[in-house]
Amino acid sequence: MRIYQSDVLCMGAGLAGERVAVEAAQAGFSVICLSVVPPKRSHSSAAMGGMQAALGNSIMGDGDCPEIHFNDTVKGSDWGCDQEVARIFANTAPIAMREMAFLGVPWSRVVPGEHTYYKGGKPFQATEKAENEGLIHSRAFGGTAKWRTCYTSDGTGHAVLFTLDNRLLQLGVTMHDRTQAEALIHDGQTCMGCIARDLRTGELVAYLAKATLIATGGYGRIYRATTNAVICDGGGQITALNTGVVPLGNMEAVQFHPTGTVPTDILVTEGCRGDGGTLLDVNEYRFMPDYEPEKAELASRDVVSRRMTEHMRKGFGVPSPYGEHLWLDIRHLGEKHIKTNLREVYDISTHFLGVDPVHQLIPVRPTQHYSMGGVRINKDGHAYGLKGLFAAGEAACWDMHGFNRLGGNSLAETVVSGRVIGQKLVEFLQGYETTFSTQATNEAALQVQDRITQLKRGSGDNCYVLRNAMQDIMMEHVGIFRNGKDLEAGVAKLQELLERCKNMRLEGNQPGPNAEMSMALRVPGMIKLALCTAYGALMRTESRGAHAREDYPERNDKDWLVRTLAYWKEGADLPTLEYERATPWFILPPGDRGYGGGKIIQGDMTNEKVIGYDQQA
Amino acid sequence: MGRILTFEIFRYNPLDPRSMPHMQTFTLEEQRSMTLFVALNQIREHQDATLQFDFCCRAGICGSCGMVINGRPGLACHTQTSDLPERITLHPLPVFKLLGDLSVDTGTWFRNVGKKIESWLHTNKTFDPNAQEERMDNELATQIFELDRCIECGCCVAACGTALMRKDFIGATSINRMARFYIDPRDQRTPKDFYDLIGDDNGVFGCMGLLACDDICPKQIPLQDQLGIMRRMVSIESVRGWLPEGIRKRLGGGCGCGRHK
């Protein structure tokens, strides 16, 4: 077995992984990055919209500050987030954006003078200040009090990812692409790296490191209809869960984006609505203001997705061979705006749907989009349960998003948490030495090898049948609206599926690159993640953010102002759930979000610590 | 019922001693809005699990799925079968190392060329976390982003006559990348630095001007223009020392258009 050794091992080389790698490499530590695809193809590249940071340069962001950003984030999370982490995030975001500008991101900039902007489909005039000319501009995204989202036309993720990856080239960081991490090397106390599979050759390779980072993105592919790339299968979370000692946080918190296209499930950016796009029903009637008079299309994503589903259930959906959908209308924004600021949207509509958005409506429906849950880490990025294990980005539950994240906050989180956690990781490494255990290494390698051998002997269903069955269960039982009966049935079906995995069969078997083997190795872990999601959702008897229980419609701050921690004990067929306080203290005590409606069961705040935004706890 | 599509797909697994390069035929019923992403996955899931190909974002953004589609390099994910005839022939992109069937190693190629052309912003400044960002004209930011949009899919390289003949040719993608840094005022490299990096037969002077790159770029990046701008700038730089002072002054810096450094 080939063995590599470095100070830092980054599993995943999207924005979060690369930002941490930059920090570690700048501090002089040796870094190896693993990625299942060439790093510039990471799913971060698909994020179009932008990154929230309270720079306040644009006229519609005038007077913005981190505290307002913090308040929006906490409300967006439906008070499910860790307020200490949300404050670190809001305070660091402006610095992280300026840093990316310094490294080469061509952010869109303020052009002084009068401009026509749109709000709710209606044009209005605003005058950008002359003194802010050339500073980073910002656009509107849902659930925010100010226009705060920094952007580069509609290729923000792409531009920032290329900039960071180029920085890694410059720093000489070792990149092993087409490599898939399969198991963490650990002794129950300390993480020492991982066993990975070389996707070019099929061999197993050991990576030993003092600090290991999981930054492998979300787990959207446990759902059939998802905007996520095909690689977003929760690989990193699976390795953490399989240790038995590292918990996953809030796995039931899954975001559905209001505007996935039909039938391809490709995301069209929230920037469409931010720039004034509207949602129409079968009668081409704009319905959102009826549900959300104030924010309309720009309420938070969980709310808009639920209102859309509600409206379709009332019979106002547009029928199609691919199921019901609604329309997104951006025609009034004009050809020039659509073809420059929303060009990716134009490309996607014309190439994948055969729709010209300058003249036609875009078919959309709520589609799985973002995983708020993930590897539970503390505010410094250290995973619970294992020393030397870190996580960042969508793979992690840091937890600034709680039960719903705001558009533009996750892309910002990648570089902000990458900066913060990268610095903490560097602090951890200063003067740190450890011991690499050959026993732990061999055990991890053997565990993966055994799974491969077993697959070659299996005679049951193939990996595609099992994966498709899981995805259908998740769509049917663990979707936008949830209830006890459906969730219970879903959990039982997933358990049965997990059992069937033990006899999974390979259709083909060949040396070298083997996509079927890669998928087959993933599926049991994905079903475990699906079970964490479904079971967590079943046990959480309240509605909060994206988690909407029809049988428990109230947000219950009395009993459920907590974070779910899911552990997987060896040989179990269900996760073990524990709970911890959502936040160590409050800056913004629980209240009404101001959109979305819904009742709240109030908790007892008499013994809770409440501090000011600028106050230390 | 839709058309019955016939796929002729290149098959070869270099790591399997029993494997020989050959074409294999698959048939599939066409569905509405079917892309090559949908079609290839259906073939793998239902007909032949050993078929190798690459997709990632399946939305035309990540550049994973470049392949030769009926003789023309393009992105499979945003190719609709309805735009193709009933017979669809798929080959892997040439130039890049073949990993298996339709899968090629673009990652290593781009990493190597990225190091060679020093594809990063060169500056001797250090970042000050307390300072406001440096200002930039929005028009310029947009121009930079226009060139930054390259997704490194490799289609332009696979379509390039020079790249097929000269294995170290950096390709239109790299010349465009250099053009992006050339117009970026944050990059402190001078025309001489660019001359040293790309002023040879593996760089701007290797191009034979066939310009298939410009024709096939899935992102419609103006590659021809960038080649022209960079070649002119580097050419002037190469003879700058011999030019009479009057002409030198008139040309100014850079490519001579008066707009660039």
Side-chain angles (χ1 to χ4, degrees):
Chain A
M1 192 166 60
R2 271 184 289 151
I3 299 177
Y4 294 93
Q5 190 185 325
S6 58
D7 294 321
V8 182
L9 175 68
C10 289
M11 289 160 48
L15 284 177
E18 292 208 328
R19 185 60 191 81
V20 172
V22 163
E23 203 65 37
Q26 282 175 173
F29 291 105
S30 63
V31 183
I32 297 179
C33 289
L34 310 183
S35 176
V36 288
V37 291
K40 286 188 169 98
R41 314 212 185 293
S42 301
H43 192 46
S44 302
S45 71
M48 294 184 263
M51 297 190 175
Q52 280 205 43
L55 291 163
N57 298 326
S58 68
I59 189 65
M60 296 303 292
D62 198 27
D64 201 7
C65 65
E67 186 172 353
I68 302 177
H69 187 186
F70 167 86
N71 287 341
D72 286 341
T73 301
V74 174
K75 286 179 197 168
S77 82
D78 220 356
W79 277 270
C81 74
D82 180 324
Q83 299 200 5
E84 185 177 16
V85 167
R87 182 170 67 178
I88 295 170
F89 166 73
N91 284 342
T92 313
I95 300 169
M97 299 310 126
R98 291 182 177 133
E99 186 171 38
M100 290 316 304
F102 173 80
L103 289 173
V105 172
W107 295 115
S108 294
R109 303 295 180 131
V110 174
V111 180
E114 193 171 83
H115 293 263
T116 303
Y117 295 125
Y118 286 87
K119 198 168 188 178
K122 293 201 179 64
F124 67 93
Q125 307 292 316
T127 305
E128 297 289 356
K129 290 181 184 169
E131 68 260 35
N132 286 349
E133 178 171 9
L135 297 178
I136 299 171
H137 195 237
S138 57
R139 59 160 52 135
F141 258 32
T144 65
K146 300 278 180 187
W147 289 24
R148 184 184 298 127
T149 306
C150 313
Y151 63 101
T152 55
S153 298
D154 60 356
T156 311
H158 168 92
V160 181
L161 182 63
F162 271 56
T163 300
L164 271 182
D165 195 53
N166 286 336
R167 176 82 178 136
L168 286 191
L169 262 183
Q170 181 185 10
L171 290 166
V173 166
T174 306
M175 183 67 65
H176 289 184
D177 68 359
R178 292 182 185 264
T179 305
Q180 179 164 298
E182 290 294 347
L184 293 178
I185 301 169
H186 72 101
D187 57 7
Q189 311 284 324
T190 308
C191 182
M192 305 163 207
C194 80
I195 299 293
R197 198 167 142 266
D198 180 334
L199 301 181
R200 287 182 177 82
T201 63
E203 321 164 64
L204 296 186
V205 185
Y207 290 90
L208 300 174
K210 291 181 191 173
T212 303
L213 175 85
I214 297 177
T216 51
Y219 49 93
R221 284 277 154 182
I222 64 173
Y223 286 87
R224 165 83 50 148
T226 172
T227 63
N228 285 190
V230 299
I231 55 171
C232 300
D233 53 16
Q237 290 91 332
I238 293 169
T239 61
L241 188 66
N242 281 341
T243 62
V245 292
V246 179
L248 305 182
N250 279 351
M251 292 294 279
E252 64 271 32
V254 176
Q255 181 175 80
F256 285 76
H257 194 286
T259 55
T261 57
V262 181
T264 41
D265 303 321
I266 296 169
L267 174 80
V268 291
T269 175
E270 185 159 330
C272 290
R273 282 170 293 130
D275 290 1
T278 57
L279 292 166
L280 309 180
D281 65 15
V282 67
N283 302 318
E284 299 192 14
Y285 170 73
R286 185 175 168 222
F287 59 93
M288 275 307 294
D290 296 349
Y291 294 98
E292 297 294 331
E294 180 158 345
K295 296 242 170 199
E297 282 85 355
L298 286 176
S300 67
R301 288 176 177 178
D302 59 324
V303 171
V304 178
S305 290
R306 273 201 297 280
R307 297 303 197 190
M308 290 169 75
T309 307
E310 210 177 322
H311 200 62
M312 285 193 281
R313 282 182 176 184
K314 287 182 188 165
F316 293 110
V318 184
S320 89
Y322 303 98
E324 290 204 329
H325 62 78
L326 294 161
W327 299 114
L328 172 66
D329 184 7
I330 57 171
R331 295 173 299 185
H332 50 283
L333 302 184
E335 183 162 358
K336 181 167 180 252
H337 187 89
I338 292 172
K339 287 188 173 172
T340 52
N341 286 17
L342 298 170
R343 174 165 36 199
E344 291 291 344
V345 177
Y346 179 79
D347 286 351
I348 287 167
S349 303
T350 48
H351 287 136
F352 298 91
L353 306 172
V355 166
D356 177 1
V358 178
H359 304 290
Q360 291 170 293
L361 302 172
I362 306 170
V364 294
R365 69 177 160 214
T367 304
Q368 193 286 341
H369 181 56
Y370 188 78
S371 318
M372 271 80 72
V375 179
R376 178 65 183 133
I377 53 175
N378 67 15
K379 64 178 175 177
D380 299 334
H382 228 128
Y384 285 21
L386 283 180
K387 193 177 177 191
L389 181 63
F390 294 78
E394 192 176 350
C397 180
W398 190 22
D399 164 16
M400 55 167 279
H401 303 303
F403 273 75
N404 175 67
R405 76 147 171 97
L406 298 179
N409 254 0
S410 64
L411 203 59
E413 182 193 12
T414 60
V415 293
V416 174
S417 75
R419 188 175 204 275
V420 172
I421 292 169
Q423 286 170 355
K424 293 292 175 184
L425 186 143
V426 164
E427 274 174 32
F428 167 81
L429 282 176
Q430 304 286 4
Y432 174 72
E433 295 299 342
T434 185
T435 310
F436 293 133
S437 152
T438 56
Q439 187 187 348
T441 308
N442 287 335
E443 274 173 9
L446 217 66
Q447 184 206 329
V448 180
Q449 192 56 57
D450 277 352
R451 294 178 53 209
I452 292 173
T453 312
Q454 219 172 339
L455 278 169
K456 289 179 178 170
R457 282 203 297 257
S459 60
D461 304 291
N462 72 31
C463 64
Y464 301 114
V465 169
L466 293 166
R467 182 202 61 188
N468 294 348
M470 168 194 67
Q471 290 177 334
D472 289 338
I473 295 168
M474 292 305 285
M475 293 306 291
E476 197 185 326
H477 294 271
V478 203
I480 294 181
F481 285 104
R482 302 162 173 185
N483 64 66
K485 196 166 140 259
D486 283 349
L487 286 168
E488 215 163 301
V491 167
K493 286 184 188 176
L494 289 168
Q495 283 178 301
E496 189 246 317
L497 219 51
L498 188 61
E499 188 59 31
R500 271 159 66 191
C501 281
K502 291 180 182 157
N503 195 22
M504 200 190 310
R505 168 173 60 102
L506 290 176
E507 296 287 348
N509 185 26
Q510 57 172 5
N514 186 343
E516 188 197 11
M517 176 68 87
S518 307
M519 176 59 68
L521 285 168
R522 273 288 185 269
V523 169
M526 289 174 81
I527 296 176
K528 286 184 188 172
L529 298 184
L531 270 164
C532 291
T533 307
Y535 189 56
L538 173 65
M539 299 315 280
R540 184 174 280 273
T541 48
E542 66 152 356
S543 292
R544 186 180 297 275
H547 172 67
R549 286 282 297 255
E550 291 164 313
D551 45 353
Y552 295 95
E554 305 86 9
R555 190 182 89 198
N556 184 343
D557 290 339
K558 193 160 136 268
D559 305 311
W560 285 105
L561 206 56
V562 293
R563 183 175 301 104
T564 310
L565 299 178
Y567 292 85
W568 202 285
K569 304 293 177 201
E570 209 185 321
D573 65 350
L574 263 189
T576 307
L577 301 188
E578 290 177 15
Y579 295 92
E580 65 173 9
R581 291 168 57 87
T583 183
W585 33 256
F586 295 87
I587 291 168
L588 193 65
D592 181 21
R593 297 167 97 185
Y595 48 80
K599 275 205 204 108
I600 298 169
I601 298 173
Q602 287 189 351
D604 179 11
M605 288 293 292
T606 43
N607 293 321
E608 294 293 349
K609 187 166 173 185
V610 179
I611 63 168
Y613 188 80
D614 297 319
Q615 210 180 329
Q616 284 310 308
Chain B
M1 196 174 128
R3 296 185 297 172
I4 300 298
L5 303 174
T6 303
F7 287 88
E8 295 270 353
I9 299 178
F10 176 86
R11 301 299 308 269
Y12 178 51
N13 178 356
L15 292 182
D16 184 350
R18 295 162 304 174
S19 174
M20 293 286 285
H22 66 285
M23 299 301 286
Q24 189 177 350
T25 306
F26 299 92
T27 55
L28 200 64
E29 190 188 328
E30 190 172 33
Q31 296 147 1
R32 238 191 70 192
S33 299
M34 187 181 237
T35 60
L36 290 181
F37 167 72
V38 174
L40 285 168
N41 274 292
Q42 284 190 5
I43 292 172
R44 180 149 79 192
E45 287 186 29
H46 302 292
Q47 301 189 34
D48 189 337
T50 65
L51 183 63
Q52 304 300 315
F53 50 78
D54 294 318
F55 286 99
C56 180
C57 77
R58 52 85 181 96
I61 293 167
C62 78
S64 292
C65 62
M67 57 182 73
V68 180
I69 304 157
N70 284 349
R72 204 179 157 88
L75 296 181
C77 74
H78 80 183
T79 302
Q80 303 215 22
T81 54
S82 60
D83 293 335
L84 298 172
E86 275 161 32
R87 282 192 89 77
I88 299 168
T89 308
L90 302 176
H91 286 94
L93 290 183
V95 181
F96 303 100
K97 184 184 173 190
L98 180 77
L99 295 174
D101 303 338
L102 300 173
S103 171
V104 295
D105 194 348
T106 51
T108 304
W109 193 93
F110 275 100
R111 213 101 208 128
N112 288 340
V113 82
K115 276 181 221 156
K116 192 162 115 182
I117 64 169
E118 301 184 10
S119 173
W120 54 83
L121 203 108
H122 288 52
T123 178
N124 58 15
K125 295 182 184 168
T126 48
F127 175 65
D128 176 0
N130 300 313
Q132 197 175 49
E133 65 269 26
E134 269 186 39
R135 291 168 195 258
M136 180 183 274
D137 181 57
N138 189 55
E139 201 59 42
L140 178 61
T142 308
Q143 277 176 31
I144 295 170
F145 179 68
E146 276 301 297
L147 307 183
D148 212 30
R149 286 187 307 116
C150 169
I151 57 174
E152 297 193 350
C153 61
C155 287
C156 64
V157 179
C160 173
T162 307
L164 285 170
M165 296 192 310
R166 200 188 282 280
K167 76 173 176 50
D168 292 325
F169 182 59
I170 62 173
T173 174
S174 309
I175 293 165
N176 172 70
R177 181 67 56 197
M178 293 310 258
R180 175 246 177 273
F181 289 116
Y182 173 55
I183 63 167
D184 192 329
R186 293 167 293 192
D187 194 309
Q188 295 169 338
R189 278 180 284 191
T190 62
K192 181 180 180 310
D193 296 321
F194 287 106
Y195 175 81
D196 290 343
L197 289 165
I198 60 168
D200 63 3
D201 285 355
N202 288 323
V204 285
F205 299 122
C207 169
M208 300 183 291
L210 301 176
L211 296 172
C213 52
D214 196 88
D215 288 341
I216 60 92
C217 175
K219 290 284 157 190
Q220 284 108 39
I221 295 169
L223 296 171
Q224 179 181 349
D225 295 354
Q226 301 321 308
L227 175 73
I229 290 165
M230 295 307 278
R231 189 183 262 186
R232 184 180 154 94
M233 182 266 284
V234 169
S235 301
I236 291 172
E237 183 57 31
S238 69
V239 297
R240 189 173 294 276
W242 308 337
L243 292 174
E245 203 186 325
I247 296 179
R248 260 202 324 249
K249 271 200 179 137
R250 209 146 22 95
L251 279 172
C255 63
C257 72
R259 286 193 292 133
H260 300 130
K261 62 191 165 188

